[in-house]
Every structure is written in C-alpha cells, then in structure tokens.
Amino acid sequence: MRVMIVRDYDEMSRRAAEIVKEQILKKPDAVLGLATGSTPLGLYRYLIQMYKNGEIDFSRVITFNLDEYIGLPPEHPQSYHYFMFENLFNHINIKRENVHIPSGIAENLEEECKRYERELKEKGPIDLQVLGIGVNGHIGFNEPDESIETKTHIVTLTEDTINANKRFFKSIEEVPRRAITMGLASIMRAKKIILLASGKSKANAIRETLKGKLTTKVPSTVLLLHSNVTIIIDKEAASLLTDKELTNVELID
C-alpha cells in the first residue's frame, strides 16, 4: 500500500487525476470505478479540463459507480445519477451506454443488485477504482457491521452516514435511509485502487485504516489485503497518524 500525504485538497485532486489519465492513456477502453460525494469533485474538475485540453479521450472508457440511494429517481438533484452527469459525464465525450450506475428505483431491488453484479463481471474487471472514505470508515456504502457483504447489495445507512450526508439535503428527514452499493469483494476485484481523503473529519477513519488491523468495524481496512492501493490524503486527513502509521509514507509538500 502506497500512502501519499499532500499539501491540500487541490493537490490531492490533481495527483488523482494524473493517475486516472495515465490509466486511460495506457488503456483507452479502461474500466473505471467511480465515487460520488464532495471528495472526488476536484478530481472530476481536473479530468474535465484534461479532456478539454485534448490530453485524454473518454470515448471508449467504461464506468461503474459504487452506489446509489434507494428511492431517488435519476433526475433527482441528490441522486448519484444526477451528480455524475452534472459533475463529469455531461462535460466529456463518454458514451451513455458505457455509463453504469445502480438504479435506486428498480421495481425489484434484489434483482437490480444481481443485474449490476453481472455487469461488473461481464465488462470488468475494473482497471482503476476511485474511492472516498466515510467518517466511519465506510467505502462505497459498505457500513461498519459484524459481517460484510461481498457482492452488490442493499444497505441500511448508519446514523453517522446520514448525518454526514444531510448537508446535501434541505433537512435530515430527506436523506434516504437505504442504498444499493457494490460489495467489498466487488471493489477488491479492481486491478488498482486509489482512495482519497481530505479534511480533519476523515482523520480518524484514515488512522483506523492504516493501523494494520483488519476489522469489519472499519470496512476500509479490507484494502490492506489488496496488492495495488494508493491512498492520497491531505495534511488535515493525516493529522492523527502516529509515527508507526507514518512508516513508508510519501510526504509531498
């Protein structure tokens, strides 16, 4: 596992964009796993600019998103469908048929999970998976629990996650309580993973991730088992790391 501590959010975003760019240049029909939320917004802005500058071409790229809220139609401003098109897809030359996001309004949600898992296997494996991390260590919407779900599944969101996401809604009552998410095995099948974290609110989750102890109480610790993970964090997200956790960390100022 490679850990990079950078100056700030912008530098984190730029370095992540360079990794995505490198992947697309290496393999123009790359399969990318994408995340939502505030963390990857800077990354997406850099990718849009790279596309406009003629540095990268998305015409053959395939994407799979990690998750979607249950009950929100694609046109809802807080759905992850809407988020992805508003913040990335509408500004690049990706083909609509190459975009894959779970449906949170499918008539049969269990079947939707199975369908999405089949698509992941048929079109995958994912070449590069982009992850954020929740304040409780969740990746995708894989929440802390006694056990883990390996495949795409329905999840009930924890109060930590609901409180963290309420800022995107008019009130906490509007925040969906359930979502569809890729399972941890689905994520771990990716050939390469980059995890991004910024700000003091993510510092404890990052410290728990890097302690070296695998636990379902901190889902992000599963990344310790992957052979090709790069974690890019800013100084605030790294503020709780001890000397032990800072071993073999790449400091970039």
Side-chain angles (χ1 to χ4, degrees), residues 153-190:
H153 62 284
I154 297 166
V155 63
T156 298
L157 304 181
T158 65
E159 287 303 314
D160 282 342
T161 298
I162 291 168
N163 284 323
N165 290 351
K166 68 182 180 182
R167 68 189 188 277
F168 300 115
F169 295 82
K170 291 180 181 178
S171 69
I172 193 169
E173 288 74 26
E174 292 186 13
V175 183
R177 266 46 182 179
R178 297 194 303 159
I180 292 178
T181 183
M182 277 191 208
L184 292 177
S186 310
I187 293 169
M188 291 288 283
R189 282 198 302 268

PDB file of all heavy atoms in Angstrom, residues 153-190:
ATOM      1  N   HIS A 153     -25.289  -5.064  -3.059  1.00  0.00           N
ATOM      2  CA  HIS A 153     -26.380  -5.369  -2.144  1.00  0.00           C
ATOM      3  C   HIS A 153     -27.078  -4.105  -1.662  1.00  0.00           C
ATOM      4  O   HIS A 153     -26.621  -2.987  -1.901  1.00  0.00           O
ATOM      5  CB  HIS A 153     -25.855  -6.147  -0.936  1.00  0.00           C
ATOM      6  CG  HIS A 153     -24.851  -5.376  -0.131  1.00  0.00           C
ATOM      7  ND1 HIS A 153     -23.537  -5.194  -0.538  1.00  0.00           N
ATOM      8  CD2 HIS A 153     -24.963  -4.719   1.058  1.00  0.00           C
ATOM      9  CE1 HIS A 153     -22.889  -4.482   0.363  1.00  0.00           C
ATOM     10  NE2 HIS A 153     -23.733  -4.173   1.325  1.00  0.00           N
ATOM     11  N   ILE A 154     -28.202  -4.325  -0.973  1.00  0.00           N
ATOM     12  CA  ILE A 154     -28.948  -3.239  -0.348  1.00  0.00           C
ATOM     13  C   ILE A 154     -28.399  -3.028   1.052  1.00  0.00           C
ATOM     14  O   ILE A 154     -28.129  -3.988   1.786  1.00  0.00           O
ATOM     15  CB  ILE A 154     -30.446  -3.590  -0.284  1.00  0.00           C
ATOM     16  CG1 ILE A 154     -31.020  -3.746  -1.694  1.00  0.00           C
ATOM     17  CG2 ILE A 154     -31.223  -2.523   0.491  1.00  0.00           C
ATOM     18  CD1 ILE A 154     -32.377  -4.400  -1.731  1.00  0.00           C
ATOM     19  N   VAL A 155     -28.236  -1.768   1.437  1.00  0.00           N
ATOM     20  CA  VAL A 155     -27.682  -1.470   2.749  1.00  0.00           C
ATOM     21  C   VAL A 155     -28.532  -0.422   3.454  1.00  0.00           C
ATOM     22  O   VAL A 155     -29.087   0.480   2.813  1.00  0.00           O
ATOM     23  CB  VAL A 155     -26.215  -0.979   2.632  1.00  0.00           C
ATOM     24  CG1 VAL A 155     -26.137   0.318   1.857  1.00  0.00           C
ATOM     25  CG2 VAL A 155     -25.570  -0.805   3.999  1.00  0.00           C
ATOM     26  N   THR A 156     -28.650  -0.552   4.762  1.00  0.00           N
ATOM     27  CA  THR A 156     -29.275   0.479   5.590  1.00  0.00           C
ATOM     28  C   THR A 156     -28.174   1.395   6.102  1.00  0.00           C
ATOM     29  O   THR A 156     -27.193   0.928   6.699  1.00  0.00           O
ATOM     30  CB  THR A 156     -30.024  -0.157   6.781  1.00  0.00           C
ATOM     31  OG1 THR A 156     -31.068  -1.002   6.275  1.00  0.00           O
ATOM     32  CG2 THR A 156     -30.646   0.919   7.661  1.00  0.00           C
ATOM     33  N   LEU A 157     -28.309   2.675   5.844  1.00  0.00           N
ATOM     34  CA  LEU A 157     -27.256   3.623   6.187  1.00  0.00           C
ATOM     35  C   LEU A 157     -27.221   3.883   7.699  1.00  0.00           C
ATOM     36  O   LEU A 157     -28.255   3.949   8.359  1.00  0.00           O
ATOM     37  CB  LEU A 157     -27.461   4.938   5.438  1.00  0.00           C
ATOM     38  CG  LEU A 157     -27.553   4.812   3.907  1.00  0.00           C
ATOM     39  CD1 LEU A 157     -27.735   6.188   3.273  1.00  0.00           C
ATOM     40  CD2 LEU A 157     -26.319   4.125   3.344  1.00  0.00           C
ATOM     41  N   THR A 158     -26.013   4.048   8.220  1.00  0.00           N
ATOM     42  CA  THR A 158     -25.849   4.330   9.643  1.00  0.00           C
ATOM     43  C   THR A 158     -26.156   5.799   9.925  1.00  0.00           C
ATOM     44  O   THR A 158     -26.192   6.641   9.027  1.00  0.00           O
ATOM     45  CB  THR A 158     -24.415   4.033  10.098  1.00  0.00           C
ATOM     46  OG1 THR A 158     -23.520   4.940   9.426  1.00  0.00           O
ATOM     47  CG2 THR A 158     -24.025   2.588   9.798  1.00  0.00           C
ATOM     48  N   GLU A 159     -26.371   6.108  11.200  1.00  0.00           N
ATOM     49  CA  GLU A 159     -26.623   7.495  11.591  1.00  0.00           C
ATOM     50  C   GLU A 159     -25.431   8.388  11.252  1.00  0.00           C
ATOM     51  O   GLU A 159     -25.603   9.546  10.890  1.00  0.00           O
ATOM     52  CB  GLU A 159     -26.935   7.571  13.089  1.00  0.00           C
ATOM     53  CG  GLU A 159     -28.299   7.031  13.458  1.00  0.00           C
ATOM     54  CD  GLU A 159     -29.434   7.734  12.716  1.00  0.00           C
ATOM     55  OE1 GLU A 159     -29.422   8.982  12.656  1.00  0.00           O
ATOM     56  OE2 GLU A 159     -30.334   7.043  12.194  1.00  0.00           O
ATOM     57  N   ASP A 160     -24.198   7.847  11.381  1.00  0.00           N
ATOM     58  CA  ASP A 160     -23.004   8.619  11.003  1.00  0.00           C
ATOM     59  C   ASP A 160     -23.080   9.053   9.544  1.00  0.00           C
ATOM     60  O   ASP A 160     -22.784  10.212   9.205  1.00  0.00           O
ATOM     61  CB  ASP A 160     -21.736   7.776  11.211  1.00  0.00           C
ATOM     62  CG  ASP A 160     -21.305   7.707  12.657  1.00  0.00           C
ATOM     63  OD1 ASP A 160     -21.756   8.565  13.441  1.00  0.00           O
ATOM     64  OD2 ASP A 160     -20.528   6.806  13.002  1.00  0.00           O
ATOM     65  N   THR A 161     -23.462   8.127   8.675  1.00  0.00           N
ATOM     66  CA  THR A 161     -23.530   8.424   7.251  1.00  0.00           C
ATOM     67  C   THR A 161     -24.669   9.383   6.945  1.00  0.00           C
ATOM     68  O   THR A 161     -24.512  10.329   6.160  1.00  0.00           O
ATOM     69  CB  THR A 161     -23.706   7.118   6.447  1.00  0.00           C
ATOM     70  OG1 THR A 161     -22.556   6.289   6.675  1.00  0.00           O
ATOM     71  CG2 THR A 161     -23.837   7.392   4.966  1.00  0.00           C
ATOM     72  N   ILE A 162     -25.811   9.176   7.574  1.00  0.00           N
ATOM     73  CA  ILE A 162     -26.960  10.062   7.364  1.00  0.00           C
ATOM     74  C   ILE A 162     -26.612  11.478   7.803  1.00  0.00           C
ATOM     75  O   ILE A 162     -26.880  12.457   7.091  1.00  0.00           O
ATOM     76  CB  ILE A 162     -28.194   9.531   8.120  1.00  0.00           C
ATOM     77  CG1 ILE A 162     -28.681   8.234   7.460  1.00  0.00           C
ATOM     78  CG2 ILE A 162     -29.316  10.573   8.143  1.00  0.00           C
ATOM     79  CD1 ILE A 162     -29.698   7.469   8.277  1.00  0.00           C
ATOM     80  N   ASN A 163     -25.963  11.614   8.940  1.00  0.00           N
ATOM     81  CA  ASN A 163     -25.575  12.943   9.434  1.00  0.00           C
ATOM     82  C   ASN A 163     -24.529  13.591   8.540  1.00  0.00           C
ATOM     83  O   ASN A 163     -24.549  14.807   8.320  1.00  0.00           O
ATOM     84  CB  ASN A 163     -25.049  12.839  10.867  1.00  0.00           C
ATOM     85  CG  ASN A 163     -26.157  12.654  11.887  1.00  0.00           C
ATOM     86  OD1 ASN A 163     -27.233  13.228  11.736  1.00  0.00           O
ATOM     87  ND2 ASN A 163     -25.918  11.857  12.913  1.00  0.00           N
ATOM     88  N   ALA A 164     -23.604  12.770   8.009  1.00  0.00           N
ATOM     89  CA  ALA A 164     -22.566  13.317   7.122  1.00  0.00           C
ATOM     90  C   ALA A 164     -23.162  13.795   5.807  1.00  0.00           C
ATOM     91  O   ALA A 164     -22.656  14.756   5.204  1.00  0.00           O
ATOM     92  CB  ALA A 164     -21.504  12.256   6.865  1.00  0.00           C
ATOM     93  N   ASN A 165     -24.240  13.150   5.358  1.00  0.00           N
ATOM     94  CA  ASN A 165     -24.824  13.483   4.053  1.00  0.00           C
ATOM     95  C   ASN A 165     -25.978  14.472   4.129  1.00  0.00           C
ATOM     96  O   ASN A 165     -26.465  14.929   3.086  1.00  0.00           O
ATOM     97  CB  ASN A 165     -25.298  12.204   3.357  1.00  0.00           C
ATOM     98  CG  ASN A 165     -24.147  11.340   2.903  1.00  0.00           C
ATOM     99  OD1 ASN A 165     -22.987  11.765   2.949  1.00  0.00           O
ATOM    100  ND2 ASN A 165     -24.430  10.132   2.464  1.00  0.00           N
ATOM    101  N   LYS A 166     -26.404  14.826   5.330  1.00  0.00           N
ATOM    102  CA  LYS A 166     -27.563  15.708   5.449  1.00  0.00           C
ATOM    103  C   LYS A 166     -27.293  17.098   4.861  1.00  0.00           C
ATOM    104  O   LYS A 166     -28.234  17.801   4.480  1.00  0.00           O
ATOM    105  CB  LYS A 166     -28.002  15.825   6.910  1.00  0.00           C
ATOM    106  CG  LYS A 166     -27.012  16.560   7.809  1.00  0.00           C
ATOM    107  CD  LYS A 166     -27.501  16.579   9.261  1.00  0.00           C
ATOM    108  CE  LYS A 166     -26.513  17.305  10.169  1.00  0.00           C
ATOM    109  NZ  LYS A 166     -26.965  17.285  11.591  1.00  0.00           N
ATOM    110  N   ARG A 167     -26.019  17.481   4.756  1.00  0.00           N
ATOM    111  CA  ARG A 167     -25.697  18.804   4.213  1.00  0.00           C
ATOM    112  C   ARG A 167     -26.090  18.941   2.753  1.00  0.00           C
ATOM    113  O   ARG A 167     -26.212  20.059   2.236  1.00  0.00           O
ATOM    114  CB  ARG A 167     -24.200  19.090   4.376  1.00  0.00           C
ATOM    115  CG  ARG A 167     -23.272  18.239   3.527  1.00  0.00           C
ATOM    116  CD  ARG A 167     -21.816  18.465   3.938  1.00  0.00           C
ATOM    117  NE  ARG A 167     -20.850  17.839   3.055  1.00  0.00           N
ATOM    118  CZ  ARG A 167     -20.481  16.567   3.122  1.00  0.00           C
ATOM    119  NH1 ARG A 167     -21.023  15.779   4.053  1.00  0.00           N
ATOM    120  NH2 ARG A 167     -19.581  16.073   2.288  1.00  0.00           N
ATOM    121  N   PHE A 168     -26.308  17.814   2.074  1.00  0.00           N
ATOM    122  CA  PHE A 168     -26.699  17.860   0.672  1.00  0.00           C
ATOM    123  C   PHE A 168     -28.217  17.977   0.494  1.00  0.00           C
ATOM    124  O   PHE A 168     -28.696  18.165  -0.619  1.00  0.00           O
ATOM    125  CB  PHE A 168     -26.211  16.598  -0.052  1.00  0.00           C
ATOM    126  CG  PHE A 168     -24.718  16.418  -0.019  1.00  0.00           C
ATOM    127  CD1 PHE A 168     -24.151  15.345   0.649  1.00  0.00           C
ATOM    128  CD2 PHE A 168     -23.875  17.334  -0.640  1.00  0.00           C
ATOM    129  CE1 PHE A 168     -22.767  15.167   0.678  1.00  0.00           C
ATOM    130  CE2 PHE A 168     -22.494  17.169  -0.612  1.00  0.00           C
ATOM    131  CZ  PHE A 168     -21.942  16.092   0.055  1.00  0.00           C
ATOM    132  N   PHE A 169     -28.960  17.856   1.586  1.00  0.00           N
ATOM    133  CA  PHE A 169     -30.420  17.881   1.532  1.00  0.00           C
ATOM    134  C   PHE A 169     -30.960  19.064   2.339  1.00  0.00           C
ATOM    135  O   PHE A 169     -30.257  19.640   3.155  1.00  0.00           O
ATOM    136  CB  PHE A 169     -30.983  16.561   2.076  1.00  0.00           C
ATOM    137  CG  PHE A 169     -30.646  15.354   1.242  1.00  0.00           C
ATOM    138  CD1 PHE A 169     -29.410  14.721   1.381  1.00  0.00           C
ATOM    139  CD2 PHE A 169     -31.544  14.853   0.319  1.00  0.00           C
ATOM    140  CE1 PHE A 169     -29.089  13.605   0.613  1.00  0.00           C
ATOM    141  CE2 PHE A 169     -31.236  13.739  -0.451  1.00  0.00           C
ATOM    142  CZ  PHE A 169     -30.006  13.120  -0.311  1.00  0.00           C
ATOM    143  N   LYS A 170     -32.238  19.396   2.110  1.00  0.00           N
ATOM    144  CA  LYS A 170     -32.858  20.510   2.821  1.00  0.00           C
ATOM    145  C   LYS A 170     -33.004  20.201   4.303  1.00  0.00           C
ATOM    146  O   LYS A 170     -32.959  21.099   5.142  1.00  0.00           O
ATOM    147  CB  LYS A 170     -34.214  20.829   2.204  1.00  0.00           C
ATOM    148  CG  LYS A 170     -34.119  21.422   0.801  1.00  0.00           C
ATOM    149  CD  LYS A 170     -35.495  21.719   0.248  1.00  0.00           C
ATOM    150  CE  LYS A 170     -35.398  22.291  -1.151  1.00  0.00           C
ATOM    151  NZ  LYS A 170     -36.746  22.544  -1.736  1.00  0.00           N
ATOM    152  N   SER A 171     -33.238  18.940   4.632  1.00  0.00           N
ATOM    153  CA  SER A 171     -33.354  18.540   6.025  1.00  0.00           C
ATOM    154  C   SER A 171     -32.888  17.104   6.172  1.00  0.00           C
ATOM    155  O   SER A 171     -32.829  16.354   5.186  1.00  0.00           O
ATOM    156  CB  SER A 171     -34.808  18.655   6.503  1.00  0.00           C
ATOM    157  OG  SER A 171     -35.616  17.676   5.869  1.00  0.00           O
ATOM    158  N   ILE A 172     -32.585  16.702   7.401  1.00  0.00           N
ATOM    159  CA  ILE A 172     -32.107  15.337   7.637  1.00  0.00           C
ATOM    160  C   ILE A 172     -33.193  14.316   7.316  1.00  0.00           C
ATOM    161  O   ILE A 172     -32.900  13.169   6.960  1.00  0.00           O
ATOM    162  CB  ILE A 172     -31.605  15.189   9.093  1.00  0.00           C
ATOM    163  CG1 ILE A 172     -30.820  13.872   9.249  1.00  0.00           C
ATOM    164  CG2 ILE A 172     -32.760  15.264  10.083  1.00  0.00           C
ATOM    165  CD1 ILE A 172     -30.075  13.770  10.557  1.00  0.00           C
ATOM    166  N   GLU A 173     -34.451  14.734   7.408  1.00  0.00           N
ATOM    167  CA  GLU A 173     -35.552  13.824   7.110  1.00  0.00           C
ATOM    168  C   GLU A 173     -35.571  13.423   5.642  1.00  0.00           C
ATOM    169  O   GLU A 173     -36.105  12.362   5.288  1.00  0.00           O
ATOM    170  CB  GLU A 173     -36.896  14.463   7.485  1.00  0.00           C
ATOM    171  CG  GLU A 173     -37.156  14.571   8.969  1.00  0.00           C
ATOM    172  CD  GLU A 173     -36.325  15.668   9.639  1.00  0.00           C
ATOM    173  OE1 GLU A 173     -35.940  16.637   8.935  1.00  0.00           O
ATOM    174  OE2 GLU A 173     -36.067  15.553  10.854  1.00  0.00           O
ATOM    175  N   GLU A 174     -35.011  14.249   4.780  1.00  0.00           N
ATOM    176  CA  GLU A 174     -34.997  13.962   3.339  1.00  0.00           C
ATOM    177  C   GLU A 174     -33.881  13.003   2.933  1.00  0.00           C
ATOM    178  O   GLU A 174     -33.894  12.475   1.822  1.00  0.00           O
ATOM    179  CB  GLU A 174     -34.860  15.263   2.540  1.00  0.00           C
ATOM    180  CG  GLU A 174     -36.071  16.161   2.618  1.00  0.00           C
ATOM    181  CD  GLU A 174     -35.948  17.352   1.693  1.00  0.00           C
ATOM    182  OE1 GLU A 174     -35.058  17.346   0.819  1.00  0.00           O
ATOM    183  OE2 GLU A 174     -36.731  18.300   1.849  1.00  0.00           O
ATOM    184  N   VAL A 175     -32.912  12.770   3.807  1.00  0.00           N
ATOM    185  CA  VAL A 175     -31.797  11.880   3.459  1.00  0.00           C
ATOM    186  C   VAL A 175     -32.309  10.438   3.374  1.00  0.00           C
ATOM    187  O   VAL A 175     -32.912   9.937   4.327  1.00  0.00           O
ATOM    188  CB  VAL A 175     -30.670  11.951   4.509  1.00  0.00           C
ATOM    189  CG1 VAL A 175     -29.498  11.070   4.079  1.00  0.00           C
ATOM    190  CG2 VAL A 175     -30.218  13.394   4.718  1.00  0.00           C
ATOM    191  N   PRO A 176     -32.108   9.765   2.239  1.00  0.00           N
ATOM    192  CA  PRO A 176     -32.542   8.362   2.143  1.00  0.00           C
ATOM    193  C   PRO A 176     -31.880   7.504   3.212  1.00  0.00           C
ATOM    194  O   PRO A 176     -30.746   7.758   3.617  1.00  0.00           O
ATOM    195  CB  PRO A 176     -32.086   7.955   0.736  1.00  0.00           C
ATOM    196  CG  PRO A 176     -32.036   9.236  -0.032  1.00  0.00           C
ATOM    197  CD  PRO A 176     -31.564  10.252   0.969  1.00  0.00           C
ATOM    198  N   ARG A 177     -32.605   6.503   3.664  1.00  0.00           N
ATOM    199  CA  ARG A 177     -32.100   5.618   4.707  1.00  0.00           C
ATOM    200  C   ARG A 177     -31.473   4.355   4.144  1.00  0.00           C
ATOM    201  O   ARG A 177     -30.836   3.602   4.884  1.00  0.00           O
ATOM    202  CB  ARG A 177     -33.231   5.239   5.664  1.00  0.00           C
ATOM    203  CG  ARG A 177     -33.368   6.101   6.915  1.00  0.00           C
ATOM    204  CD  ARG A 177     -33.286   7.580   6.668  1.00  0.00           C
ATOM    205  NE  ARG A 177     -33.381   8.337   7.931  1.00  0.00           N
ATOM    206  CZ  ARG A 177     -33.323   9.654   8.006  1.00  0.00           C
ATOM    207  NH1 ARG A 177     -33.184  10.381   6.905  1.00  0.00           N
ATOM    208  NH2 ARG A 177     -33.392  10.289   9.170  1.00  0.00           N
ATOM    209  N   ARG A 178     -31.671   4.085   2.856  1.00  0.00           N
ATOM    210  CA  ARG A 178     -31.123   2.873   2.243  1.00  0.00           C
ATOM    211  C   ARG A 178     -30.449   3.209   0.912  1.00  0.00           C
ATOM    212  O   ARG A 178     -30.722   4.237   0.294  1.00  0.00           O
ATOM    213  CB  ARG A 178     -32.216   1.834   2.009  1.00  0.00           C
ATOM    214  CG  ARG A 178     -32.885   1.319   3.265  1.00  0.00           C
ATOM    215  CD  ARG A 178     -33.699   0.065   2.972  1.00  0.00           C
ATOM    216  NE  ARG A 178     -34.706   0.306   1.942  1.00  0.00           N
ATOM    217  CZ  ARG A 178     -35.267  -0.653   1.202  1.00  0.00           C
ATOM    218  NH1 ARG A 178     -34.903  -1.922   1.369  1.00  0.00           N
ATOM    219  NH2 ARG A 178     -36.196  -0.353   0.301  1.00  0.00           N
ATOM    220  N   ALA A 179     -29.576   2.323   0.491  1.00  0.00           N
ATOM    221  CA  ALA A 179     -28.862   2.499  -0.775  1.00  0.00           C
ATOM    222  C   ALA A 179     -28.496   1.142  -1.358  1.00  0.00           C
ATOM    223  O   ALA A 179     -28.545   0.125  -0.666  1.00  0.00           O
ATOM    224  CB  ALA A 179     -27.605   3.341  -0.566  1.00  0.00           C
ATOM    225  N   ILE A 180     -28.152   1.153  -2.644  1.00  0.00           N
ATOM    226  CA  ILE A 180     -27.528  -0.008  -3.279  1.00  0.00           C
ATOM    227  C   ILE A 180     -26.043   0.301  -3.392  1.00  0.00           C
ATOM    228  O   ILE A 180     -25.659   1.399  -3.793  1.00  0.00           O
ATOM    229  CB  ILE A 180     -28.115  -0.263  -4.681  1.00  0.00           C
ATOM    230  CG1 ILE A 180     -29.565  -0.722  -4.583  1.00  0.00           C
ATOM    231  CG2 ILE A 180     -27.287  -1.312  -5.430  1.00  0.00           C
ATOM    232  CD1 ILE A 180     -30.225  -0.948  -5.932  1.00  0.00           C
ATOM    233  N   THR A 181     -25.212  -0.645  -3.025  1.00  0.00           N
ATOM    234  CA  THR A 181     -23.764  -0.424  -3.095  1.00  0.00           C
ATOM    235  C   THR A 181     -23.034  -1.653  -3.621  1.00  0.00           C
ATOM    236  O   THR A 181     -23.484  -2.785  -3.411  1.00  0.00           O
ATOM    237  CB  THR A 181     -23.198  -0.061  -1.704  1.00  0.00           C
ATOM    238  OG1 THR A 181     -21.795   0.223  -1.818  1.00  0.00           O
ATOM    239  CG2 THR A 181     -23.385  -1.186  -0.699  1.00  0.00           C
ATOM    240  N   MET A 182     -21.956  -1.439  -4.305  1.00  0.00           N
ATOM    241  CA  MET A 182     -21.037  -2.539  -4.607  1.00  0.00           C
ATOM    242  C   MET A 182     -20.583  -3.152  -3.281  1.00  0.00           C
ATOM    243  O   MET A 182     -20.350  -2.434  -2.300  1.00  0.00           O
ATOM    244  CB  MET A 182     -19.769  -2.027  -5.317  1.00  0.00           C
ATOM    245  CG  MET A 182     -19.857  -1.813  -6.779  1.00  0.00           C
ATOM    246  SD  MET A 182     -18.165  -1.533  -7.381  1.00  0.00           S
ATOM    247  CE  MET A 182     -18.488  -0.512  -8.808  1.00  0.00           C
ATOM    248  N   GLY A 183     -20.432  -4.466  -3.264  1.00  0.00           N
ATOM    249  CA  GLY A 183     -19.895  -5.123  -2.085  1.00  0.00           C
ATOM    250  C   GLY A 183     -18.381  -4.994  -2.030  1.00  0.00           C
ATOM    251  O   GLY A 183     -17.737  -4.545  -2.986  1.00  0.00           O
ATOM    252  N   LEU A 184     -17.814  -5.390  -0.915  1.00  0.00           N
ATOM    253  CA  LEU A 184     -16.367  -5.250  -0.742  1.00  0.00           C
ATOM    254  C   LEU A 184     -15.584  -6.148  -1.695  1.00  0.00           C
ATOM    255  O   LEU A 184     -14.520  -5.760  -2.191  1.00  0.00           O
ATOM    256  CB  LEU A 184     -15.976  -5.536   0.708  1.00  0.00           C
ATOM    257  CG  LEU A 184     -16.462  -4.486   1.713  1.00  0.00           C
ATOM    258  CD1 LEU A 184     -16.091  -4.892   3.127  1.00  0.00           C
ATOM    259  CD2 LEU A 184     -15.884  -3.108   1.384  1.00  0.00           C
ATOM    260  N   ALA A 185     -16.101  -7.338  -1.998  1.00  0.00           N
ATOM    261  CA  ALA A 185     -15.410  -8.198  -2.962  1.00  0.00           C
ATOM    262  C   ALA A 185     -15.471  -7.593  -4.356  1.00  0.00           C
ATOM    263  O   ALA A 185     -14.515  -7.688  -5.132  1.00  0.00           O
ATOM    264  CB  ALA A 185     -16.015  -9.601  -2.962  1.00  0.00           C
ATOM    265  N   SER A 186     -16.611  -6.959  -4.679  1.00  0.00           N
ATOM    266  CA  SER A 186     -16.749  -6.286  -5.975  1.00  0.00           C
ATOM    267  C   SER A 186     -15.690  -5.205  -6.123  1.00  0.00           C
ATOM    268  O   SER A 186     -15.082  -5.048  -7.185  1.00  0.00           O
ATOM    269  CB  SER A 186     -18.152  -5.676  -6.105  1.00  0.00           C
ATOM    270  OG  SER A 186     -19.161  -6.606  -5.798  1.00  0.00           O
ATOM    271  N   ILE A 187     -15.474  -4.451  -5.051  1.00  0.00           N
ATOM    272  CA  ILE A 187     -14.465  -3.390  -5.048  1.00  0.00           C
ATOM    273  C   ILE A 187     -13.060  -3.979  -5.127  1.00  0.00           C
ATOM    274  O   ILE A 187     -12.208  -3.504  -5.895  1.00  0.00           O
ATOM    275  CB  ILE A 187     -14.624  -2.512  -3.788  1.00  0.00           C
ATOM    276  CG1 ILE A 187     -15.938  -1.724  -3.849  1.00  0.00           C
ATOM    277  CG2 ILE A 187     -13.423  -1.560  -3.630  1.00  0.00           C
ATOM    278  CD1 ILE A 187     -16.308  -1.046  -2.556  1.00  0.00           C
ATOM    279  N   MET A 188     -12.825  -5.026  -4.373  1.00  0.00           N
ATOM    280  CA  MET A 188     -11.486  -5.607  -4.290  1.00  0.00           C
ATOM    281  C   MET A 188     -11.054  -6.320  -5.571  1.00  0.00           C
ATOM    282  O   MET A 188      -9.863  -6.610  -5.743  1.00  0.00           O
ATOM    283  CB  MET A 188     -11.417  -6.560  -3.115  1.00  0.00           C
ATOM    284  CG  MET A 188     -11.500  -5.874  -1.757  1.00  0.00           C
ATOM    285  SD  MET A 188     -10.005  -4.957  -1.341  1.00  0.00           S
ATOM    286  CE  MET A 188      -8.930  -6.305  -0.865  1.00  0.00           C
ATOM    287  N   ARG A 189     -11.990  -6.616  -6.455  1.00  0.00           N
ATOM    288  CA  ARG A 189     -11.616  -7.227  -7.737  1.00  0.00           C
ATOM    289  C   ARG A 189     -10.904  -6.245  -8.662  1.00  0.00           C
ATOM    290  O   ARG A 189     -10.294  -6.648  -9.654  1.00  0.00           O
ATOM    291  CB  ARG A 189     -12.849  -7.794  -8.448  1.00  0.00           C
ATOM    292  CG  ARG A 189     -13.323  -9.127  -7.908  1.00  0.00           C
ATOM    293  CD  ARG A 189     -14.242  -9.835  -8.904  1.00  0.00           C
ATOM    294  NE  ARG A 189     -15.404  -9.042  -9.239  1.00  0.00           N
ATOM    295  CZ  ARG A 189     -16.575  -9.114  -8.586  1.00  0.00           C
ATOM    296  NH1 ARG A 189     -16.713  -9.956  -7.588  1.00  0.00           N
ATOM    297  NH2 ARG A 189     -17.591  -8.346  -8.941  1.00  0.00           N
ATOM    298  N   ALA A 190     -10.981  -4.955  -8.360  1.00  0.00           N
ATOM    299  CA  ALA A 190     -10.308  -3.954  -9.189  1.00  0.00           C
ATOM    300  C   ALA A 190      -8.806  -4.216  -9.231  1.00  0.00           C
ATOM    301  O   ALA A 190      -8.206  -4.603  -8.224  1.00  0.00           O
ATOM    302  CB  ALA A 190     -10.584  -2.550  -8.651  1.00  0.00           C
TER     303      ALA A 190
END
